[in-house]
Amino acid sequence: MRFPFSIARSLAAAISLTIGAPALADALVDNVDGMTLAADGDVVRFNGIVIDGEGRIVKLLKRGDKRPEKLDWKADLKGRTVIPGMVDAHGHVMDLGFRALALDLSDTRSLAAAQDAIRRYAAENATRAWLTGGGWNQEVWALGRFPSAAELDAATGDRPAWFIRADGHAGWANSAAMKAAGITAATRAPAGGRIELVAGKPGGVFVDAAMALIEQAVPKPTPRDRNAAFLKAQTMLLSVGVTASADMGTTLEDWMTYRRMGDLGLLRMRVMSYAAGVDVALLVGGSGPTPWLYDDRLRMGGIKLYTDGALGSRGAWLKAPYADAPGNSGLPLQSDARLLNLISRGAMDGFQIAIHAIGDRANQQALDAIDEVSDTYNGDRRWRIEHAQIVDPADLPRFGRHGIIASMQPVHQTSDRMMAEARLGPARLDGAYAWKAMLGNGARLAFGSDYPVESANPFVGWAVAFTRQDGDGQPFGGWRPEQAVSREQAWRAFTTDAAYAGFAEKRFGHLAPGLRADFIVIDRDPLLASPADLRATGVLETWVGGVQVWRRGQAAAGEGR
């Protein structure tokens, strides 16, 4: 599937991001209102940064400290606020770019609005063989059910169309797409998947593993398309202050894209890659994690595994049936034996294991598996459980064992709270989105956004973490406010501990001598801003390794549309 813009223009625009930035050399970035967290969580204030020729910090300077006399270059930031680059502990880099370059339905508030958007998109892209995109959410539409193929047909006609749900765990196909994929009334869902039925026949929505039935027929992006998607995603992330991100579910094609970008000198951000399964990890790493490449900008150090789906599509695996769907307890994606086998295959070669678990039964399975393998694969493993959204209170203390990292996404709580109440009922939410309980039980907390499921803007997630409120300040006092963390704890989870979660804390994540000079210039003090003002934080400049890689007003040239 080709995108309607020139890859050459995108490459040229990406190269231009560092035009005007000083060449990497011994340098001083001075006259800043700087703040960072020390390794112990204390706030450190500074007014200048001395950077060596490798892009590492030599010293943080305070007011009155003697400035170096011999420098290759100096930047005066005129008293503006400087903080460490934000680290997203859980995102999907290529998905973000592809979503931005296709049709994004995340702003639609009704089925009719989505149909109108799809009609416009179809008319504007008349030469596309397939219509693709994502971001729809039947809960936001207040539909009370999944949309149907017939409703998508009304907007697309006879051109195949395939749109991914906001959580990435279900897809919506029209009749032409199902025909192209060979879907009939006799088609059965694979293990770990579900086909939603209408009048006893496939109705157009395919959940979790069943999505592959349609996706095998969708035209694959070309390497040029992938380059373009990465450049788009990178610009989006740098523009909101994300200088490093875990990439959860890197495919072999994704990895080759990152390597192309690195070889061309266009990899500006840092990517902590988690392979989409053991086989991809072994194809890329051979006998273990790759080294850090491109001056600490890329490494495949882990493997992403799944135990269940998502709450919105009722694929999250629960201990008891859904309150709003009796008889349905979700979709377990691995047997206990298979999960143990996959963990062992990766852990024996030194890969870090990150396990997607949303429902309380899925989290129990992940914890059970870690309990079983931790004696065999001991040492500093940093087992990760991704999302950990709905946890039985009885299982919460188990997150404090074996060095488990709770990799969670604050914005999921504000997006999901009403749906979670409907799916589970209030009595089963005591362990839901339980950030403070994770810390209290001794687990390391790493925050991210799960972009493009949610906005990649880390300042929104930061505000949610200590308020438990959405952008409208709702609910009053916060939803289950006893699980809020402090402002500084949330900042740590988006910086030092998000880097720690990727075995990168000795390279980046905060500002200190010996670490990479990754920082952002913002338009307000985030430690003094109100929650609403923190959400509205504007990034003025983004620096990675002592080089300015993005600044406000320049990114528009990089869109290439």
Side-chain angles (χ1 to χ4, degrees), residues 120-342:
R120 290 192 299 272
Y121 185 71
E124 293 165 0
N125 295 274
T127 61
R128 287 198 178 200
W130 279 64
L131 300 172
T132 59
W136 61 271
N137 188 338
Q138 83 281 3
E139 298 295 328
V140 173
W141 295 346
L143 200 58
R145 57 173 174 81
F146 282 117
S148 69
E151 288 162 332
L152 188 51
D153 293 346
T156 61
D158 59 2
R159 244 195 303 176
W162 176 240
F163 293 97
I164 305 300
R165 193 182 184 277
D167 59 12
H169 287 269
W172 181 22
N174 67 357
S175 297
M178 290 195 290
K179 181 179 180 180
I183 303 297
T184 69
T187 302
R188 296 292 176 263
R194 184 174 70 246
I195 300 174
E196 291 293 320
L197 303 178
V198 174
K201 298 179 181 179
V205 170
F206 297 76
V207 180
D208 287 317
M211 295 168 67
L213 297 173
I214 298 292
E215 288 175 342
Q216 53 87 21
V218 180
K220 300 295 184 275
T222 68
R224 291 176 184 269
D225 296 332
R226 291 184 174 279
N227 292 348
F230 171 77
L231 292 172
K232 177 66 175 178
Q234 178 173 247
T235 297
M236 293 173 70
L237 292 168
L238 294 174
S239 73
V240 294
V242 175
T243 55
S245 178
D247 183 49
M248 282 293 165
T250 306
T251 67
L252 186 59
E253 293 81 5
D254 295 341
W255 178 258
M256 294 307 297
T257 303
Y258 303 150
R259 291 301 305 265
R260 284 195 298 274
M261 296 295 98
D263 290 345
L264 290 169
L266 299 177
L267 186 59
R268 307 303 189 196
M269 64 179 289
R270 304 191 191 280
V271 178
M272 299 174 286
S273 169
Y274 289 77
V278 176
D279 291 342
V280 173
L282 295 178
L283 281 170
V284 170
S287 59
T290 71
W292 283 96
L293 305 169
Y294 311 114
D295 296 326
D296 294 340
R297 281 178 170 80
L298 179 65
R299 176 179 182 256
M300 181 176 283
I303 297 170
K304 171 78 174 297
L305 303 176
Y306 287 86
T307 59
D308 68 347
L311 203 60
S313 51
R314 296 190 185 88
W317 187 20
L318 303 177
K319 292 185 175 182
Y322 283 86
D324 60 355
N328 180 10
S329 297
L331 292 170
L333 299 184
Q334 314 285 354
S335 67
D336 292 347
R338 178 166 171 75
L339 180 61
L340 287 169
N341 176 266
L342 292 172

Side-chain angles (χ1 to χ4, degrees), residues 18 30 127 130 182 190 206 253 271 275 315 322 354 357 370 449 483 503 554:
T18 53
D30 207 3
T127 61
W130 279 64
F206 297 76
E253 293 81 5
V271 178
Y322 283 86
I370 292 169
S449 65
Q483 291 297 345
F503 282 92
Q554 192 173 33

